[in-house]
């Protein structure tokens, strides 16, 4: 008999999605345009010119999707709310039809015995707020608090788990410095300002959410990429410190009261990214950002191996890679999850952690018999679950795990090319077929553990 690697009693197993990636109904019932609606219509930005207009049509099919989750045995469901459905003008006027949609979704989940975890912002900013300056502008942080207030006043009686933002690194840097995501800008200073206003809006929103949603737990979702040095050389070590600062510490440190990392402020200044210094940080901001929360939600997919290209002592063969990658080209590195969860526990003393996203893209589709055999996904998940279990054994307070994603969906700049789902979706017919990984995951949930 194989041994069972068990998870703690009460461990929460779920699936995750985001509004723009699954809902479709992009202009229905009073919803306004989001920055992703606009970005999809900007030539060259999204693979194949794909859009979120229809996506998984979840807006209309959510009762069936809830039944599907129930059949899979999911205990919890992480979804996001589309700001442009709730406040079509960004602020002010409330669109009741938008609130009603999420209210029906939440009621349906609760009736099915599935605990809702709602993310307030998963990237679909109302375009009207982008036109007024977007996240680089402080006014957007103020607007977010208004939006969070409206949503939690209406759903806070039933939703007891709130996540303010999904992946501030992506909102700030991927979208304003690298330019791969909406609004597609390439400007370091904008990105650093955006990061500050996203974090600030989190800090401001937490007390508002607590007021509106008694007994609720609130947290933020940060994404982490484990940073490994390609060699022990000083330049590689420095590149690794820099990457960890840019990707991980820039967000983690201020949220946990350590302010922005001084080494990064110095590096950004030297690189000319802060021509007027940190003038966007106003008195009280850092205290607001460090507001106590109930949990940290962690998204983890891969690692980066850092090599300083200019270092002479630094040959390409020093790069250690498992050689195994998912369809996204992301290295499979479960040990990075273990190390991250231990670091969050030992170095940051975080009281409670959820893994809000972990998963992989593979294109496997239905075979002749209609079955989707995605053994590689099972293998990926098994190894990452084992890494999380090992971190829990080491003392890391991980209390739940959400697989990204419940179903194949709109994968941002990659359009529909990348399939992360436990459930396969035919985007022509909207047929859903649970993959073999879904059946395997049901088994994991059932026994609250994995076979070693
Ligand atoms: C994360 C996003 C999520 C999904 C996965 C693959 O960065 O939060 O929406 O696209 O990556």
């Amino acid at each position: 008999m194989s041994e069972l690697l068990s998870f703690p009693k009460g461990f929460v197993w779920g699936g995750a999605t985001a509004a723009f990636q699954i809902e479709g109904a992009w202009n229905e019932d009073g919803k306004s345009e989001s920055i992703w609606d606009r970005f999809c219509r900007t030539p060259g930005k999204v693979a194949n010119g794909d859009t979120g207009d229809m996506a998984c049509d979840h807006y209309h099919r959510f009762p069936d999707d809830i039944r599907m989750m129930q059949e899979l045995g999911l205990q919890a469901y992480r979804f996001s709310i589309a700001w442009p459905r709730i406040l079509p003008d960004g602020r002010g006027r409330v669109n009741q039809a938008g609130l009603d949609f999420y209210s029906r979704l939440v009621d349906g989940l609760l009736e099915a015995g599935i605990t809702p975890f709602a993310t307030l912002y998963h990237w679909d900013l109302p375009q009207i707020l982008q036109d007024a300056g977007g996240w680089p502008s402080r006014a957007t942080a103020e607007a977010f608090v208004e939006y969070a207030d409206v949503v939690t006043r209406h759903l806070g009686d039933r939703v007891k788990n709130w996540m303010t933002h999904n992946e501030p690194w992506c909102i700030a840097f991927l979208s304003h410095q690298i330019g791969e995501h909406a609004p597609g800008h390439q400007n370091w200073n904008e990105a650093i300002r955006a990061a500050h206003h996203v974090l600030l809006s989190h800090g401001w929103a937490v007390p508002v959410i607590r007021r509106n949603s008694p007994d609720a737990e609130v947290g933020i979702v940060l994404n982490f990429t484990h940073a490994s040095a390609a060699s022990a050389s000083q330049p590689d070590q420095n590149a690794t410190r820099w990457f960890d600062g840019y990707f991980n510490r820039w967000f983690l440190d201020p949220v946990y009261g350590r302010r922005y990392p001084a080494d990064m402020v110095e590096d950004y200044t030297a690189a000319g990214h802060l021509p007027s210094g940190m003038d966007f940080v106003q008195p009280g901001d850092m205290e607001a950002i460090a507001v106590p929360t109930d949990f940290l939600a962690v998204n983890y997919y891969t690692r980066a191996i850092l090599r300083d290209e200019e270092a002479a002592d630094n040959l390409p063969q020093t790069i250690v890679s498992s050689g195994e990658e998912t369809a996204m080209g992301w290295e499979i590195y479960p040990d990075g999850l273990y190390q991250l969860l231990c670091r969050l526990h030992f170095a940051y003393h975080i009281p409670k952690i959820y893994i809000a996203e972990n998963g992989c893209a593979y294109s496997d589709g239905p075979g002749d018999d209609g079955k989707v055999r995605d053994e590689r996904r099972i293998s990926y998940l098994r190894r990452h679950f084992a890494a999380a279990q090992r971190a829990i054994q080491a003392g890391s307070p991980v209390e739940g795990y959400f697989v990204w994603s419940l179903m194949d969906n709109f994968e941002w700049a990659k359009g529909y090319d990348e399939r992360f789902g436990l459930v396969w979706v035919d985007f022509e017919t909207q047929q859903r077929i649970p993959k073999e990984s879904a059946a395997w995951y049901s088994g994991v949930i059932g026994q609250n553990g994995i076979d070693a």
Side-chain angles (χ1 to χ4, degrees), residues 387-405:
Q389 200 266 359
R390 206 151 52 88
I392 294 169
Q393 298 299 313
S396 188
V398 184
E399 298 197 14
Y401 208 120
F402 293 79
V403 172
W404 185 272
S405 176

Side-chain angles (χ1 to χ4, degrees), residues 17-18 21 78 122-123 166-167 170 174 181 221 223 299 301 328 330 357 359-361 404-405 409-412 420:
T17 63
Q21 295 178 275
R78 173 176 176 237
H122 201 130
W123 306 354
N166 180 72
E167 303 192 346
C170 292
L174 190 58
H181 279 187
V221 187
N223 54 320
N299 292 356
Y301 289 94
M328 291 290 276
W330 294 347
E357 285 182 27
C360 51
W404 185 272
S405 176
N409 57 48
F410 175 82
E411 181 43 41
W412 308 113
F420 274 90

Side-chain angles (χ1 to χ4, degrees), residues 205-246:
V206 169
V208 174
I209 299 169
R210 289 202 194 289
R211 190 184 66 216
N212 292 340
S213 187
D215 311 320
E217 300 212 328
V218 192
I220 188 168
V221 187
L222 300 182
N223 54 320
F224 296 93
T225 291
H226 181 81
S228 304
S231 82
S233 76
Q234 192 50 46
D236 284 358
Q237 296 293 324
N238 192 43
T240 308
R241 172 201 59 81
W242 185 91
F243 183 86
D244 186 54
Y246 162 72

Side-chain angles (χ1 to χ4, degrees), residues 86-374:
I86 309 295
L87 300 179
D89 305 322
R91 325 181 59 146
R93 181 175 63 89
V94 175
N95 179 36
Q96 190 58 42
L99 284 170
D100 290 346
F101 166 68
Y102 294 106
S103 193
R104 287 195 301 271
L105 173 65
V106 166
D107 287 344
L109 289 166
L110 292 172
E111 271 163 39
I114 299 168
T115 307
F117 281 66
T119 310
L120 287 166
Y121 187 74
H122 201 130
W123 306 354
D124 40 1
L125 187 72
Q127 179 64 40
I128 195 167
L129 292 182
Q130 182 61 43
D131 296 340
W135 286 110
S137 151
R138 195 172 171 97
T140 301
E142 289 160 12
F144 176 78
V145 181
E146 204 179 308
Y147 158 65
D149 183 30
V150 172
V151 172
T152 54
R153 259 193 286 127
H154 285 84
L155 301 178
D157 55 335
R158 288 155 290 158
V159 176
K160 296 297 179 185
N161 295 278
W162 293 99
M163 299 176 181
T164 51
H165 285 285
N166 180 72
E167 303 192 346
W169 180 84
C170 292
I171 304 169
F173 292 96
L174 190 58
S175 310
H176 294 85
Q177 173 243 320
I178 298 174
E180 196 177 306
H181 279 187
H185 296 184
Q186 293 185 320
N187 181 315
W188 273 96
N189 188 253
E190 264 193 30
I192 297 167
R193 284 171 192 272
H196 184 65
H197 297 134
V198 169
L199 290 175
L200 185 59
S201 72
H202 156 77
W204 282 344
V206 169
V208 174
I209 299 169
R210 289 202 194 289
R211 190 184 66 216
N212 292 340
S213 187
D215 311 320
E217 300 212 328
V218 192
I220 188 168
V221 187
L222 300 182
N223 54 320
F224 296 93
T225 291
H226 181 81
S228 304
S231 82
S233 76
Q234 192 50 46
D236 284 358
Q237 296 293 324
N238 192 43
T240 308
R241 172 201 59 81
W242 185 91
F243 183 86
D244 186 54
Y246 162 72
F247 206 100
N248 304 322
R249 286 184 288 124
W250 193 259
F251 301 93
L252 190 54
D253 282 7
V255 166
Y256 287 94
R258 300 180 183 191
R259 313 177 84 86
Y260 290 112
D263 60 316
M264 297 307 297
V265 175
E266 211 177 289
D267 284 1
Y268 288 158
T269 305
H273 302 331
L274 294 168
S276 49
M278 299 282 280
D279 61 347
F280 45 86
V281 180
Q282 295 187 11
D285 284 6
M286 299 318 294
E287 291 71 19
I289 291 171
V291 64
T293 52
D294 299 289
F295 60 82
L296 175 68
V298 165
N299 292 356
Y300 176 83
Y301 289 94
T302 189
R303 73 157 159 180
I305 298 171
L306 284 306
R307 183 163 57 89
D308 186 304
E309 297 294 340
E310 289 165 30
D313 60 346
N314 212 334
L315 303 169
Q317 61 263 33
T318 56
I319 293 190
V320 216
S321 169
S322 69
E324 220 187 323
E325 290 176 350
T326 66
M328 291 290 276
W330 294 347
E331 184 191 339
I332 301 175
Y333 190 64
D335 198 52
L337 178 60
Y338 168 75
Q339 294 185 39
L340 168 67
L341 295 173
C342 288
R343 176 189 191 184
L344 295 173
H345 172 55
F346 290 112
Y348 288 84
H349 314 292
I350 291 166
K352 178 166 173 169
I353 299 170
Y354 286 111
I355 295 163
E357 285 182 27
N358 173 246
C360 51
Y362 288 112
S363 57
D364 308 304
D368 291 341
D369 57 0
K371 295 208 166 111
V372 185
R373 294 193 172 73
D374 57 338

